[in-house]
Amino acid sequence: MAHLDLSMFKAYDIRTPAQQLTLDLSERLAYAEAYYFRENLGVQKVILCRDARLSGARYLEQGIRIFRDLGFDVLAAPQVSSACLFYYTCMRHPDAAGVMYGASHNPGGDTGQKIVAPGVQPIADGCGPGGGLQTIRRLYEQGARPQRIGGGGLRIANYLDDYVRDSMRLADVSPGDLAGLRIVLDFLSGAAGQEMILAFTAAGAEIEPRNLVPDGHFPSGAPNPVVHASIAPSLEVLRSGRFDLGMFFDGDGDRLDIVTPDGRQISPAFNLIALAPRLRALFPDIPHPNVYVDLKANPLAIIRIARQGFGVHVIRNGHSQIKQALGKNAAAGFIAAVEESAHYYLNLRRDGVIFPIENTLFYALLTARAWREDPTLYRDLLDLQQTTFREREWGYHFPNDDLRAAALAAVEEAFVRNGWQAMHRMADGAAMDATLLRDGLPFVIDADTPLTEEWTQVAQRASQSERGLARWEVTAGTAARRDAAVRLIEETVRRFQAGQKYVG
C-alpha cells in the first residue's frame, strides 16, 4: 500500500509533500477522519481551517464538502488562520473536533494536518482518545468511511477579534500599555501577522512589520525562523539600533523566536525566567506551580525558574504530547511548558474548563510587557545566558532508519565511554523518546543544584516529523566543552553516511 503514503503519519501530526497527497488520497483521509470523529469520538461538529500554504485552499474546500455531505455541522474559516487561532476557535466550540490544513515550518511545497478532539485534545501518535492518530491511519489504510446521515450545516468561523481581545486580557495588556516599545515583527509570509499587528498596535507598541502578507510561495525563504537566510534581512533592520527587540514567527505562527538588536536569541527557558511571576499570577490558587521544559533546556535557566518557587520538570519533545501531559497533570499544579524550538504552552482556564493549548499571541504580548516593565532583567538574562555556550539544534539526514539508529547508538556509546550519564526516561518514568546525555550534572536539577563551569549537556533524538533525520543540541559551561562535544558527534556520525549539516 505504498501508494497511500503512510509515511505522512508522523509522531505529532500529518506531514508530507503536497504532490504526494493527491485529491483522491486527501479524500480518503477525510473519510477516515470523519469515521474516527463520529464512531470513535461521537462528534457531530468539525472545525476546518488552513494556513498560508498554496495547497491549503483545495484541501479545505474538499474537507468542507466531504464533512457536510456526511452530515457534520461544519465551522469553516476560509481565511488564512494561524495554528493558535485555530486552537482558540476549537476552544470556543469544545464539543467539536478540528482539522487544520498546513505544515508549520516545513518547506512551502509540503502540506499536513493538525487534528484535535473535543476540548482541544491533541491527536497524535499514541496521543488522544479512541486511539488517536494510529486509529486514523488504520482507517485510512482500510478505506473506511462513515454512513451518510443527511446534509450537514455550514457556518463561517471568524474569531480573530475575540482572540485578540482575550489574549490581551490574559496577558494583562491594555491599550497603550506597550507605548514606547519598538519591535520588529517578521512573519515570514505566514499566517500570524494579522492578529499580532492588531494586538500590538492596540497596545501602543511601535512596530516594524516584515513579510506581513500571507504568501504560500514564501518569498522570504523557508517559513522557519531558525533558517538564518530567511530572517537575515530583518536582522539587519533590527541591528539599525532603532528597535528594542525582534520577534520572528514560523509559517503557522505557533513559534516565537525573540532576538535582541545585536542578533542574540533569548532561549525560551531563559524567557520563562522573566515570565514566571506573570504566569504564576494567572493561577493564584496553586501555591507550588509546576512547569515543563524540554530536554534541551539550559540548566542555569532551570535553576533560576526553580528559585522562584516552581517545580521544573524535563519532558520529551512534541507539541501534542506536551499538551496532553499538561492537561493530564493540571490537578498536580502544572500550568505551562516551553520547548527550545520556541514553542510555548499554557493550561488555559475558560468557564471552569482547562484547555492545554498554544497561544503565541498571549506569550508574545506577555514577553513584550515583561520587557517594557523591566528591560534590565532581560539584559541580565542575556548576560547569564552568555555565560554558557550553546550549539542550537542541528541535524543530519541518513540514508535509512537503520543507519540513523546506529548513528544515535554510536554517539551515545561514545559519550558514555567517556563517563557521561545517559538518560532515556523522565523523572516520572515515562519514555523520553530521546536521549539526554550529561556530564557534571545530575539528572534532576532544582533550586539548590550546585553548578561549576565543568558541565556539558547533549540532547539527541530521531526527528519524528522529517524522514531520516536525527537531531542534536549541545549546551556547556565552557566553549571548549561545547566544541569538544560537537566534534565528537560529527566524527561519530560520519561513519554512518551522514549528510550535510542541517539546520531547520
Side-chain angles (χ1 to χ4, degrees):
M1 291 189 181
H3 65 285
L4 295 184
D5 186 22
L6 299 181
S7 66
M8 70 182 177
F9 293 93
K10 307 298 185 184
Y12 313 143
D13 49 31
I14 292 172
R15 302 279 178 93
T16 185
Q19 64 182 8
Q20 294 184 22
L21 188 63
T22 66
L23 285 177
D24 286 343
L25 293 179
S26 61
E27 180 179 90
R28 184 186 183 106
L29 178 58
Y31 280 123
E33 291 164 346
Y35 190 100
Y36 170 73
F37 292 159
R38 180 173 290 161
E39 304 299 329
N40 294 76
L41 304 184
V43 169
Q44 299 298 326
K45 183 189 298 183
V46 61
I47 294 166
L48 303 177
C49 298
R50 68 180 177 102
D51 71 6
R53 290 167 188 275
L54 297 176
S55 58
R58 67 175 182 263
Y59 296 128
L60 177 58
E61 188 76 48
Q62 181 185 61
I64 292 170
R65 173 181 58 79
I66 290 173
F67 281 100
R68 283 191 71 203
D69 285 350
L70 291 171
F72 285 84
D73 290 324
V74 175
L75 282 82
Q79 73 279 6
V80 167
S81 173
S82 70
C84 298
L85 178 55
F86 164 65
Y87 297 136
Y88 178 86
T89 301
C90 293
M91 187 179 68
R92 294 293 297 267
H93 296 272
D95 59 336
V99 179
M100 180 173 181
Y101 305 97
S104 188
H105 63 280
N106 279 35
D110 283 7
T111 187
Q113 296 181 12
K114 291 182 176 177
I115 308 170
V116 298
V120 206
Q121 297 178 76
I123 299 296
D125 184 21
C127 180
L133 198 57
Q134 292 169 318
T135 296
I136 295 175
R137 172 178 168 151
R138 175 174 53 80
L139 294 169
Y140 175 73
E141 289 185 81
Q142 294 171 352
R145 63 172 66 189
Q147 183 178 358
R148 186 175 185 271
I149 59 171
L154 172 65
R155 285 186 288 159
I156 299 300
N158 186 352
Y159 287 95
L160 177 63
D161 291 340
D162 289 357
Y163 175 53
V164 170
R165 182 198 65 236
D166 286 353
S167 298
M168 291 183 67
R169 183 180 301 155
L170 187 65
D172 195 20
V173 173
S174 300
D177 279 356
L178 300 182
L181 194 64
R182 302 161 300 171
I183 312 174
V184 174
L185 299 173
D186 191 341
F187 306 105
L188 295 178
S189 304
Q194 190 169 204
E195 61 220 43
M196 295 290 170
I197 296 297
L198 287 171
F200 277 90
T201 300
E206 178 185 334
I207 56 174
E208 176 64 28
R210 304 275 301 173
N211 302 304
L212 168 63
V213 179
D215 184 346
H217 294 98
F218 298 114
S220 57
N224 185 347
V226 174
V227 178
H228 184 267
S230 297
I231 66 172
S234 292
L235 289 177
E236 285 301 314
V237 173
L238 186 59
R239 288 191 184 99
S240 69
R242 297 186 293 112
F243 300 96
D244 299 297
L245 71 156
M247 294 183 174
F248 296 80
F249 306 87
D250 67 344
D252 65 351
D254 59 0
R255 288 191 180 194
L256 170 63
D257 257 28
I258 303 156
V259 182
T260 64
D262 60 3
R264 291 182 291 175
Q265 185 238 7
I266 301 175
S267 84
F270 277 94
N271 192 35
L272 189 57
I273 298 171
L275 303 187
R278 293 163 177 84
L279 289 171
R280 188 169 193 166
L282 296 175
F283 301 88
D285 57 325
I286 300 179
H288 303 292
N290 293 296
V291 295
Y292 286 118
V293 297
D294 79 20
L295 66 162
K296 302 183 295 295
N298 191 304
L300 284 183
I302 294 174
I303 292 170
R304 287 287 297 270
I305 297 166
R307 286 177 181 171
Q308 298 185 66
F310 285 78
V312 186
H313 304 260
V314 172
I315 193 169
R316 58 165 293 180
N317 287 97
H319 56 84
S320 296
Q321 288 77 7
I322 289 174
K323 284 183 280 191
Q324 179 176 260
L326 268 180
K328 178 182 177 182
N329 296 310
F334 281 83
I335 65 170
V338 296
E339 279 186 286
E340 292 304 289
S341 59
H343 286 270
Y344 293 78
Y345 307 87
L346 181 70
N347 264 341
L348 179 60
R349 297 180 182 182
R350 185 182 179 91
D351 299 328
V353 179
I354 293 176
F355 298 94
I357 63 168
E358 292 170 80
N359 184 329
T360 303
L361 175 56
F362 159 72
Y363 272 108
L365 289 166
L366 196 67
T367 298
R369 177 186 149 204
W371 195 298
R372 177 73 175 80
E373 293 173 350
D374 193 357
T376 302
L377 172 60
Y378 275 95
R379 287 195 290 271
D380 292 344
L381 292 178
L382 280 164
D383 289 343
L384 179 65
Q385 182 176 294
Q386 289 299 108
T387 65
T388 62
F389 298 84
R390 177 188 182 200
E391 185 75 12
R392 193 171 183 180
E393 193 173 54
W394 82 98
Y396 301 100
H397 283 283
F398 294 87
N400 56 59
D401 288 346
D402 288 341
L403 281 170
R404 179 175 67 177
L408 288 165
V411 170
E412 178 179 337
E413 181 183 351
F415 281 107
V416 170
R417 195 164 51 241
N418 288 331
W420 290 44
Q421 295 183 72
M423 292 153 266
H424 307 94
R425 294 191 172 274
M426 296 180 283
D428 62 2
M432 198 177 286
D433 288 336
T435 303
L436 183 60
L437 297 153
R438 282 178 173 170
D439 181 43
L441 290 168
F443 180 39
V444 177
I445 297 173
D446 58 27
D448 299 319
T449 299
L451 208 59
T452 68
E453 290 185 345
E454 298 304 312
W455 60 269
T456 316
Q457 173 176 282
V458 174
Q460 71 165 19
R461 62 188 178 97
S463 173
Q464 301 298 323
S465 59
E466 293 154 287
R467 188 179 303 173
L469 182 67
R471 292 179 174 274
W472 286 266
E473 179 158 324
V474 177
T475 312
T478 67
R481 276 182 159 266
R482 178 201 58 195
D483 295 345
V486 171
R487 189 163 54 249
L488 180 57
I489 294 167
E490 292 175 339
E491 292 170 352
T492 303
V493 301
R494 287 195 197 108
R495 308 200 312 263
F496 301 91
Q497 302 177 40
Q500 296 296 313
K501 186 173 182 178
Y502 171 83
V503 178

